[in-house]
Amino acid sequence: MNSMKIRRTAIAVAAAAMLPLSLAACSDSGSDTKAAPSATAEDAAKTGESTPAGDSMTGDQPFGPACAGVPKEGAGSFDGMAKDPVATAASNNPALSTLVTAVKQAGLVDTLNNAKDITVFAPTNDAFAKIPKADLDKVLADKAMLTKILTYHVVGQKLTPQQLENGSFETLQKGMVTTTGSGESYKVNGTANVVCGNVKTANANVYIIDTVLMPK
C-alpha cells in the first residue's frame, strides 16, 4: 500500500515538474511564429522608407546632369532640402549661392519660404555668370528690377515633369513662362535648360536651370 502511494507521489511530482517545461516550449514556439511576420513587416516598412524604390516607380526622383553635384547627405542633400522651405533649402546648395544672395537683396526670403505649393526655376551660379558683371551689379542694386526678375522665376503651383512637356504658366511676376521637353530633358522659354529637375523642398518643386530668365 505504502509502495503504491510512493509511486503515485513520484508520478505526480514528475508530471508537475514537466508541466512548466511543456508550457514554456509551447509559449516559445508560439512567440517565434508570431514574431516572424511582425519583424518582416517592420523590415519591409523600413525598406520602403529608406529607399527610393517607391518614388522611382512613379518617376518622382530628381533628374539631370547637375544632380550628381548635389551633396549626398546633410542639409544640402535632396533629403535635407526636402525638409526646409525653398529659400532656406537653396541656401544650403553651393551651386545656388548667387541666387540666394539676390533673393536676400530683394527681401524675398520670407515671401518664398512662406509661400504654399510653388515651383521655382532656380538659376545656378554659372547662369548668373553669363550676365556681364556690370549688368548684374546694376540689377542687384535695383531692388524693383531684381524683384521683377526673381518673381518671374516662380510659378504659383507645384509643377510635375509631365506638366513641363508642353506648358505655359503664369509667374508671380504676372508674366508667362513656357516649357517644353520630355523624359529628363526640358527647356524653359526655349533657352534655359533644366540641369537638375524635380527637386523637392518643404513647400516647392525646384527645377535648377542654366540660364537666368528675363521677363518681357
Side-chain angles (χ1 to χ4, degrees), residues 15-201:
M18 290 296 295
L19 184 60
L21 295 175
S22 178
L23 289 175
C26 290
S27 174
D28 289 344
S29 175
S31 66
D32 284 347
T33 304
K34 291 176 184 176
S38 175
T40 302
E42 184 178 351
D43 290 343
K46 286 180 180 178
T47 302
E49 290 174 3
S50 61
T51 65
D55 287 340
S56 63
M57 289 178 68
T58 60
D60 208 26
Q61 290 291 296
F63 61 84
C67 291
V70 174
K72 301 299 182 187
E73 55 187 27
S77 67
F78 290 129
D79 287 341
M81 291 178 73
K83 298 174 184 176
D84 291 321
V86 65
T88 302
S91 71
N92 294 319
N93 188 323
L96 301 176
S97 59
T98 304
L99 173 63
V100 171
T101 297
V103 167
K104 290 179 179 177
Q105 191 81 6
L108 293 174
V109 172
D110 289 341
T111 299
L112 292 177
N113 276 348
N114 293 328
K116 303 293 184 185
D117 297 333
I118 58 175
T119 293
V120 176
F121 295 104
T124 61
N125 295 344
D126 289 341
F128 281 100
K130 293 180 181 180
I131 302 172
K133 187 177 184 304
D135 293 342
L136 181 58
D137 289 344
K138 184 178 178 180
V139 169
L140 290 174
D142 186 337
K143 187 174 180 179
M145 176 61 72
L146 184 59
T147 299
K148 183 178 181 181
I149 292 173
L150 292 175
T151 53
Y152 184 63
H153 289 73
V154 184
V155 173
Q157 60 178 305
K158 284 186 176 180
L159 300 177
T160 66
Q162 290 73 27
Q163 288 176 286
L164 300 186
E165 291 180 1
N166 186 19
S168 181
F169 309 99
E170 185 179 35
T171 68
L172 297 192
Q173 182 267 337
K174 301 302 182 185
M176 303 294 292
V177 293
T178 59
T179 57
T180 56
S182 62
E184 296 187 356
S185 178
Y186 296 92
K187 282 184 178 291
V188 185
N189 286 356
T191 57
N193 296 295
V194 174
V195 293
C196 184
N198 208 30
V199 178
K200 302 297 169 57
T201 74

